[in-house]
């Protein structure tokens, strides 16, 4: 079976739902940010600060290519992985791509509730709120997230409900 990639903006539930889906389908789960952190022995915000975003994107591309070469795996790329055309091509070629979305206000709540520093959201114009930044970046990426075979909004339903809906959709696709 092809691997399943969960794409989507930060805070849409890629890691949480990815883990639940992996457990439900008895498949391994690979979080690309976690792979990069482990390999670099550095948090993502530190990598951005030390090497810059371009270098981070190159690490992300490398980690994605290695993960996508595996079969029967649930992959969670960082929210910006879809920005590179090469990454979108790798995802579409090797994975069944599912897109998670959420309302900007829900995203804000979720990203504020965890300890991970997201440099893309910290990079704001003077006076720009985090919510405004979320909306701005979301809008610039919306088309890429919408390209997926299946899109699901995670704002309201529980992890269990969302996981079941994804499993049902996969079953309908004969995955
Ligand atoms: C990013 C999302 C983050 C992480 C990095 C950049 C982005 O991953 O890869 O901070 O550009 O959207 P999550 O989507 O897992 O938060």
């Amino acid at each position: 079976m092809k691997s399943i990639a969960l794409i989507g903006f930060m805070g849409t539930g890629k890691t949480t739902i990815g883990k639940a889906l992996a457990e439900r389908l008895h498949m391994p789960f690979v979080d690309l940010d976690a792979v990069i952190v482990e390999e670099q022995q550095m948090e993502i915000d530190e990598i951005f600060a030390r090497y810059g975003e371009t270098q981070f994107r190159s690490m992300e591309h490398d980690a994605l290519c290695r993960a996508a070469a595996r079969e029967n795996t649930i992959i969670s790329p960082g929210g910006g992985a879809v920005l590179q055309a090469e990454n979108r091509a790798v995802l579409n070629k090797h994975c069944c791509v599912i897109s998670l979305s959420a309302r900007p206000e829900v995203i804000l709540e979720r990203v504020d509730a965890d300890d991970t520093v997201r440099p893309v959201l910290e990079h704001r114009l003077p006076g720009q709120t985090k919510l405004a930044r979320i909306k701005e970046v979301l809008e610039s990426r919306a088309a890429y997230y919408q390209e997926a075979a299946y899109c699901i909004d995670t704002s309201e339903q529980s992890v269990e409900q969302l996981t079941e809906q994804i499993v049902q959709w996969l079953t309908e696709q004969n995955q």
Side-chain angles (χ1 to χ4, degrees):
M1 174 172 160
K2 259 183 166 181
S3 287
I4 297 164
L6 298 180
I7 63 163
F9 200 76
M10 296 164 262
T12 53
K14 299 182 296 291
T15 306
T16 308
I17 293 169
K19 283 182 182 164
L21 197 59
E23 199 168 303
R24 173 78 167 70
L25 297 175
H26 308 290
M27 286 163 77
F29 173 69
V30 177
D31 181 306
L32 296 192
D33 279 350
V35 169
I36 297 168
V37 167
E38 168 76 23
E39 288 177 353
Q40 299 298 318
Q41 291 291 297
M42 231 183 275
E43 294 301 321
I44 302 290
D45 61 317
E46 220 179 318
I47 298 174
F48 267 71
R50 262 204 212 188
Y51 304 122
E53 179 167 355
T54 308
Q55 192 64 25
F56 169 75
R57 296 297 174 201
S58 151
M59 294 173 192
E60 183 173 57
H61 174 70
D62 187 60
L64 174 64
C65 290
R66 281 180 280 140
R70 299 169 52 147
E71 290 199 325
N72 294 305
T73 303
I74 309 284
I75 303 169
S76 165
V82 295
L83 291 171
Q84 285 179 260
E86 295 90 344
N87 289 351
R88 298 196 298 275
V90 167
L91 286 166
N92 291 328
K93 180 168 181 204
H94 297 284
C95 307
C96 173
V97 184
I98 295 176
S99 175
L100 307 184
S101 66
R103 283 185 284 108
E105 293 75 13
V106 173
I107 290 174
L108 177 64
E109 230 172 78
R110 291 178 183 164
V111 296
D112 275 351
D114 87 32
D115 297 337
T116 315
V117 178
R118 273 128 167 143
V120 172
L121 298 182
E122 295 312 317
H123 187 82
R124 301 197 292 273
L125 291 171
Q128 186 181 34
T129 63
K130 204 189 254 190
L131 182 61
R133 177 67 179 154
I134 289 171
K135 288 180 179 170
E136 177 183 62
V137 184
L138 244 184
E139 192 165 325
S140 70
R141 296 179 179 175
Y144 299 137
Y145 295 138
Q146 285 160 13
E147 268 176 25
Y150 182 54
C151 302
I152 186 161
D153 188 326
T154 67
S155 304
E156 307 295 341
Q157 300 181 83
S158 69
V159 174
E160 293 73 24
Q161 286 171 322
L162 292 163
T163 305
E164 279 320 306
Q165 281 182 44
I166 294 172
V167 169
Q168 195 180 330
W169 180 79
L170 286 168
T171 310
E172 284 163 15
Q173 308 304 305
N174 282 326
Q175 291 286 326

